[in-house]
Amino acid sequence: MKRRVPRVMVIVLVTVALLALFILTALPGATRSRLGDFFGRVFDPLTSAFQKAIDGVSGFFTAVGDNRDLKIRVAELEEEVGKLNREIIENQEKVRAYDELKEALNLITRFDDSKVLGSVVLNEEIGPYFDLMRIKAGRKHGLDAGGNISYPVVDQNSALVGRVHSSETYSSKVMSLLHEAFSVSARVDGSYRASFRVRGDVALGEEGLCLGDSIPEGAPIKVGDHIVTSGEGGIFPGGIPIGEVVSLSSSEDGKVVTCVIKPACDFDALQHVFVILEHEHEP
Amino acid sequence: MNRDATIWRRLAVYLPGLLFAAFLQTLPGSTGRLVSPDFLILFPLIAGLWTGGYDGFAFGLAAGFLRDYMAGRGYGVGMLAGMFVGLIAGRLAAEGWQRYALRGGILVLVTTFIYDMTMSFFVWLIPMGDVRTPLGPLWRVALSHFPAKLLSNIIGALALTCYFWLAFYRRKTKREKNDRLEEMRGGESLA
């Protein structure tokens, strides 16, 4: 029993220290950033290396699988057709890379008055409270979010992903469009008035949807409409695609009160993102 | 269950295992997977049960820190959760597969339930934006995930058990084999 007292003390001390750390880092400020800066130097390259290794291994197995399929095809088809098919398969990857590059290029020309920073998604959310994703772009790359300063994040099709929550030296955390703390001013694509709010919702987020509310009376909104950012609010430039209206709900007097939006961004396949760094950023 | 493994061997098994599990769990594109075990909470739990002592405590802190760093709103909550899970698992560690399976099973069930409910409570307690989501919907969402999460975590716990069994595998020496034989003979004669 005598030996256990110091151990219990250690546990109590660690608990108290962690509670203090929790309170300190719950507030936006330097503590969270410093801890992340220190650890990120070692951990972020490890994450990237792991992802590359996984890509390599899966690439190997895919190649083996593809090769087997190819052999069956070659046996079935004439020699000439087989040759052509092989060439097509070999070129498919190049075509995909070309398309991605073209899309990225379109993205840059779309936001030509802003600087666009490409980045890799390091990790996804891990459930409640651990609901931020990490991207490989930080203060070293010109991203200095935190407090009231934030940046819009879009995918390769320039659809809205979310906004940067906080930045560290080499990486940043991103709050997705589905997060309950996320909100953005929006409008129906093609209309230049009647902006409303699009925000994340806990229940809808589970189905990969978000909520449109504060819809002004007479707003021209119907199911199937494409919703884009309105440009109001200072963080998000106007015209970024958010998603498509899938349902509307009305009050007793028939006025549209809220709408459910299916985001244009495919969060399940999200591996690369683009952060829009505006030239003159207003907090 | 290897209480006698040296600290270096434990480190050599646990550290790369923890990093691999963490990377695997948070790999982009893994959200839609059917089975997605929460390795960052299972690791200290199984490590605590496997080697007992304060291994679960230490690796709970490490796993919690990784969780906080990767996706947390701040630091501390993940570490606290990991630490307590590891501590409890360490206290419940016992020799024998039957006791390991029973205690491990109960711990996985209880931890899966309490963990998500507690974290949902923290989401409500410390809201990030201006909107405070009521606790009811948060707990409802957590409960709706419970069966799938439990199944995933049981599969994850089995995978970790296999990993630890292989990593800590030690061939029995001739003396140990003889001792075992003696024990069996003694048992037979008593019978």
Side-chain angles (χ1 to χ4, degrees):
Chain A
M1 207 52 199
K2 267 183 187 173
R3 279 189 67 210
R4 272 197 190 149
V5 177
R7 283 179 182 170
V8 171
M9 280 302 291
V10 167
I11 292 165
V12 171
L13 280 174
V14 170
T15 308
V16 171
L18 289 177
L19 281 172
L21 187 69
F22 162 55
I23 294 163
L24 266 172
T25 55
L27 311 163
T31 320
R32 182 169 58 204
S33 180
R34 270 185 216 136
L35 263 168
D37 287 350
F38 180 76
F39 187 66
R41 247 168 247 170
V42 184
F43 192 71
D44 292 344
L46 271 177
T47 313
S48 302
F50 179 79
Q51 283 179 5
K52 272 182 196 160
I54 290 283
D55 283 349
V57 171
S58 64
F60 172 76
F61 284 112
T62 313
V64 170
D66 286 351
N67 200 20
R68 202 184 302 132
D69 292 345
L70 213 64
K71 273 182 184 169
I72 295 163
R73 267 194 204 168
V74 168
E76 284 171 1
L77 299 169
E78 286 177 353
E79 199 177 329
E80 197 181 336
V81 179
K83 258 184 203 171
L84 281 171
N85 276 346
R86 256 203 313 269
E87 275 176 26
I88 289 166
I89 290 163
E90 276 169 13
N91 286 331
Q92 262 172 356
E93 191 61 24
K94 287 174 190 164
V95 170
R96 197 179 61 81
Y98 172 76
D99 282 345
E100 275 180 12
L101 214 64
K102 208 170 77 177
E103 277 165 2
L105 217 63
N106 284 341
L107 193 82
I108 290 164
T109 41
R110 185 187 175 114
F111 302 108
D112 54 358
D113 54 340
S114 310
K115 192 181 155 196
V116 177
L117 178 69
S119 175
V120 178
V121 177
L122 288 175
N123 65 264
E124 291 188 332
E125 302 94 335
I126 329 177
Y129 197 78
F130 303 94
D131 42 14
L132 301 170
M133 60 176 121
R134 191 171 273 275
I135 60 165
K136 200 181 172 183
R139 284 201 299 274
K140 207 88 175 164
H141 310 94
L143 207 64
D144 196 4
N148 292 328
I149 300 171
S150 189
Y151 304 91
V153 181
V154 297
D155 69 1
Q156 62 188 31
N157 301 313
S158 69
L160 189 65
V161 172
R163 69 176 176 86
V164 180
H165 168 262
S166 55
S167 301
E168 282 143 24
T169 312
Y170 298 101
S171 59
S172 301
K173 281 179 180 169
V174 171
M175 182 195 286
S176 87
L177 170 63
L178 306 175
H179 196 285
E180 80 270 6
F182 182 91
S183 67
V184 59
S185 175
R187 60 175 167 79
V188 176
D189 195 15
S191 81
Y192 287 90
R193 57 188 179 86
S195 58
F196 56 93
R197 180 174 68 170
V198 171
R199 66 178 177 88
D201 178 83
V202 173
L204 289 173
E206 290 303 301
E207 298 161 46
L209 304 167
C210 51
L211 184 77
D213 64 3
S214 307
I215 299 171
E217 203 177 327
I221 186 165
K222 58 184 187 302
V223 173
D225 275 350
H226 291 278
I227 306 299
V228 295
T229 54
S230 71
E232 293 165 19
I235 294 175
F236 300 92
I240 301 176
I242 297 175
E244 190 184 327
V245 178
V246 288
S247 71
L248 297 167
S249 60
S250 309
S251 60
E252 283 174 5
D253 52 357
K255 288 173 196 164
V256 175
V257 186
T258 60
C259 64
V260 175
I261 297 160
K262 186 180 185 328
C265 168
D266 181 5
F267 286 98
D268 288 341
L270 195 65
Q271 292 198 329
H272 297 91
V273 291
F274 297 87
V275 184
I276 302 166
L277 300 164
E278 285 181 276
H279 289 304
E280 287 175 21
H281 187 80
E282 290 293 324
Chain B
M1 291 127 295
N2 295 67
R3 305 294 182 76
D4 50 347
T6 61
I7 186 161
W8 295 113
R9 182 153 188 189
R10 269 142 54 203
L11 273 175
V13 171
Y14 287 148
L15 210 60
L18 176 64
L19 285 175
F20 183 82
F23 292 143
L24 198 68
Q25 184 181 342
T26 57
L27 207 63
S30 57
T31 318
R33 275 193 313 220
L34 199 65
V35 179
S36 50
D38 192 345
F39 284 118
L40 286 172
I41 205 75
L42 288 173
F43 204 93
L45 193 155
I46 302 295
L49 277 177
W50 199 271
T51 41
Y54 286 84
D55 287 6
F57 168 80
F59 280 93
L61 278 175
F65 181 75
L66 285 180
R67 184 186 283 275
D68 284 337
Y69 172 77
M70 290 200 280
R73 297 179 178 192
Y75 289 88
V77 176
M79 292 165 84
L80 264 176
M83 183 186 93
F84 281 118
V85 168
L87 260 179
I88 294 166
R91 292 285 293 169
L92 291 177
E95 285 294 339
W97 281 102
Q98 209 172 353
R99 274 191 279 186
Y100 172 81
L102 182 71
R103 291 175 188 195
I106 293 170
L107 260 184
V108 168
L109 174 89
V110 173
T111 307
T112 306
F113 180 75
I114 293 180
Y115 181 78
D116 266 16
M117 299 302 268
T118 312
M119 291 310 151
S120 300
F121 174 74
F122 274 112
V123 170
W124 171 79
L125 189 71
I126 310 151
M128 261 174 104
D130 304 326
V131 182
R132 184 192 281 265
T133 311
L135 193 57
L138 285 168
W139 273 354
R140 255 199 304 280
V141 167
L143 276 175
S144 71
H145 286 171
F146 177 67
K149 263 208 166 148
L150 180 64
L151 189 69
S152 288
N153 282 351
I154 288 171
I155 294 169
L158 287 174
L160 283 177
T161 302
C162 286
Y163 167 64
F164 289 165
W165 182 76
L166 283 171
F168 283 116
Y169 181 75
R170 190 170 61 92
R171 281 182 71 178
K172 278 184 181 150
T173 58
K174 212 170 183 177
R175 193 177 164 182
E176 280 173 324
K177 274 182 189 167
N178 286 341
D179 287 349
R180 178 89 181 123
L181 215 64
E182 288 289 322
E183 260 178 45
M184 282 171 75
R185 276 182 193 148
E188 276 164 14
S189 64
L190 277 171

